[in-house]
Amino acid sequence: MTVPAAPQRSVAEADADVIVVGAGPAGSTTAFHLAQAGLNVLLLEKTTFPREKVCGDGLTPRAVKQLIAMGIDINAPGWVRNKGLRVVGGGLRFELDWPELASYPDFGLVRTRQDFDEILAANAVRGGVRLLQGVNVTAPILDDRSGHIVGVTAKKDGEEVSYRSRLVVAADGNSTRISLAMGLHKREDRPMGVAVRTYFTSPRHDDDYLETWLELWDGDQLMPGYGWIFGVGDGTSNVGLGLLNTSESFKGMDYRDLLKRWVKNMPSEWGYTEENMTTPIRGAALPMAFNRQPHYTRGLVLVGDAGGMINPFNGEGIAYAMETGRIAAETIVQALGRTTPAQRERVLRAYPQILKDAYGGYFTLGRGFVELIGRRGVMNFATRHALHHPGLMRFALKLLANLTDRRGDASDRIINALSKVAPPA
């Protein structure tokens, strides 16, 4: 698939109602919903498609719901459906189907980031968004009087260019240069994860379940993290692991070496050997639980990884990138529909609280979970005892994947109540 190129424009013609920095899932989703509301949207991407991103490539029902809402054809070739999660740990191996809910589909998907982001960007362009690739945003343009961001400077084809807009959305990931330039630094009291992964040619490429390994051993030490095996459906498996900074040895850990040692213990018929590796082992940071705040300041709106919107329970980021992109777009549309600057600012300043109402309590629970499993012996105890109780594991699947109905069964009501009473992140 080739993303349609935006027509060449002068700086004056490139002005937009909203500039979105970054064409990952958060940026493309935000841009799509803004354009659907009739706004003039400019989406700036520093690389060119196709491009690769480090990810497990697994999409839970939360993410599937957002894809369906944007009209993405998930029945087209290349989308691999899965029924649920296969859990390996404590000497057990069992399968948990995604719950049947009114709020979410009962299936997940796998699609590599090699073209997943491109699909979303192309969908945004079809929806009316102007996309410019190879535009590396370097700094905000600030209004001299208010200090609000009114545009960005960037490098394109070796030259400095500038683009102006009424609002700017930071969807530029964990590094989020534009947020840092606006004084928004990450919070050290929030968990951070690291994910590393590679691809192997393997007969396990076609699997009805996402597979997660709860016990991740480094010698005789059980690490606070998990491993995964996701069949991609193209002859390869995405195999990786995620680790949390709650481990004492987190800083000195050689993640790539740990992944190599882990797969060496796999059955030989799976084919997870170095000669079957199709890509180098690559890693990325996972900013969790609102690790950069506030999510709105002086004309800048944060979405996705730029705002640390990754689920600390399971490391899922794509669903929350798309969800916060939609929420941000709805807020921006309402704000720009107001008649005075004061009225617009009032709407925009409500955005951080909207996110806290939606995710804050749940993310706080996740932070507690991360701290708990980082303690020596806790993860080992949990895998040895909890896995033997199917009802408890079905509850855990709903909790960790954040899949509940507002008025569902008893487990839904418990999870929703806990998220509501927990202090917002």
Side-chain angles (χ1 to χ4, degrees):
M1 173 182 294
T2 301
V3 177
Q8 294 299 310
R9 301 171 184 268
S10 69
V11 172
E13 290 173 328
D15 287 351
D17 292 319
V18 183
I19 290 172
V20 180
V21 181
S28 291
T29 301
T30 306
F32 171 82
H33 288 294
L34 290 170
Q36 290 294 290
L39 294 179
N40 182 351
V41 185
L42 182 61
L43 180 59
L44 304 178
E45 168 58 35
K46 69 178 179 180
T47 63
T48 56
F49 292 110
R51 56 127 166 88
E52 188 177 27
K53 287 286 186 179
V54 175
C55 186
D57 301 331
L59 304 168
T60 70
R62 289 190 77 98
V64 175
K65 178 178 181 177
Q66 296 303 314
L67 294 172
I68 293 171
M70 289 188 288
I72 302 294
D73 183 6
I74 58 175
N75 295 310
W79 296 96
V80 179
R81 293 198 179 199
N82 56 74
K83 299 176 181 178
L85 193 65
R86 182 181 300 112
V87 179
V88 181
L92 299 175
R93 181 184 181 92
F94 57 92
E95 294 168 349
L96 296 167
D97 288 352
W98 297 120
E100 294 186 5
L101 302 169
S103 302
Y104 302 98
D106 63 350
F107 64 93
L109 294 167
V110 173
R111 185 90 190 203
T112 68
R113 294 293 295 276
Q114 181 70 27
D115 65 355
F116 177 79
D117 292 15
E118 187 175 4
I119 290 169
L120 294 191
N123 188 64
V125 171
R126 286 192 298 270
V129 173
R130 286 182 291 128
L131 169 67
L132 293 179
Q133 302 180 57
V135 179
N136 186 11
V137 172
T138 55
I141 300 173
L142 302 180
D143 180 81
D144 291 336
R145 291 178 296 179
S146 67
H148 277 54
I149 185 170
V150 292
V152 297
T153 59
K155 289 289 184 65
K156 179 173 174 57
D157 299 327
E159 297 183 1
E160 186 168 300
V161 293
S162 63
Y163 306 96
R164 292 181 176 268
S165 62
R166 301 170 69 186
L167 283 172
V168 174
V169 175
D172 47 348
N174 176 55
S175 59
T176 186
R177 179 183 294 182
I178 198 73
S179 301
L180 290 171
M182 293 287 288
L184 299 179
H185 299 277
K186 68 178 182 180
R187 296 180 55 162
E188 298 299 333
D189 63 342
R190 295 293 187 264
M192 178 69 74
V194 169
V196 292
R197 67 96 176 97
T198 187
Y199 296 89
F200 296 95
T201 55
S202 170
R204 296 202 59 197
H205 73 98
D206 189 14
D207 196 335
D208 286 340
Y209 288 84
L210 302 177
E211 185 167 293
T212 182
W213 292 51
L214 298 185
E215 292 178 311
L216 198 61
W217 292 95
D218 180 27
D220 60 354
Q221 182 179 359
L222 189 63
M223 303 296 294
Y226 65 97
W228 70 77
I229 300 173
F230 297 165
V232 181
D234 62 354
T236 66
S237 295
N238 181 316
V239 182
L241 55 86
L243 292 168
L244 299 164
N245 64 354
T246 50
S247 166
E248 295 177 2
S249 56
F250 178 84
K251 293 182 180 179
M253 178 61 59
D254 185 338
Y255 312 110
R256 291 168 176 80
D257 183 62
L258 180 59
L259 177 58
K260 290 179 182 179
R261 297 202 309 271
W262 178 53
V263 298
K264 280 183 179 179
N265 296 317
M266 301 293 184
S268 59
E269 60 267 24
W270 293 359
Y272 298 149
T273 60
E274 288 201 37
E275 53 267 28
N276 289 335
M277 193 182 297
T278 62
T279 67
I281 298 175
R282 294 189 171 95
L286 302 176
M288 298 176 173
F290 293 163
N291 82 327
R292 185 172 278 106
Q293 298 184 39
H295 293 122
Y296 170 74
T297 183
R298 294 183 293 140
L300 182 71
V301 178
L302 275 59
V303 294
D305 287 9
M309 299 173 195
I310 289 180
N311 183 347
F313 278 108
N314 65 0
E316 179 182 13
I318 292 178
Y320 299 93
M322 293 191 291
E323 287 179 7
T324 57
R326 175 184 53 79
I327 293 170
E330 291 171 353
T331 304
I332 291 169
V333 168
Q334 290 299 320
L336 295 186
R338 301 297 197 265
T339 56
T340 69
Q343 291 173 337
R344 289 193 291 271
E345 193 69 9
R346 186 176 301 115
V347 175
L348 291 165
R349 286 179 178 173
Y351 172 67
Q353 188 60 49
I354 293 172
L355 294 183
K356 288 191 175 187
D357 290 344
Y359 307 111
Y362 177 79
F363 280 179
T364 296
L365 294 177
R367 288 163 52 202
F369 172 79
V370 165
E371 291 295 328
L372 187 63
I373 66 172
R375 297 177 183 174
R376 187 180 299 274
V378 172
M379 191 65 175
N380 191 19
F381 178 86
T383 55
R384 296 295 175 186
H385 296 278
L387 298 185
H388 293 271
H389 301 277
L392 181 58
M393 291 310 299
R394 285 192 293 271
F395 174 85
L397 176 65
K398 283 189 171 185
L399 174 63
L400 271 60
N402 199 11
L403 293 172
T404 62
D405 277 333
R406 182 171 295 181
R407 296 180 179 177
D409 61 17
S411 62
D412 294 5
R413 293 193 293 273
I414 292 171
I415 295 169
N416 294 339
L418 288 172
S419 299
K420 188 174 182 179
V421 300

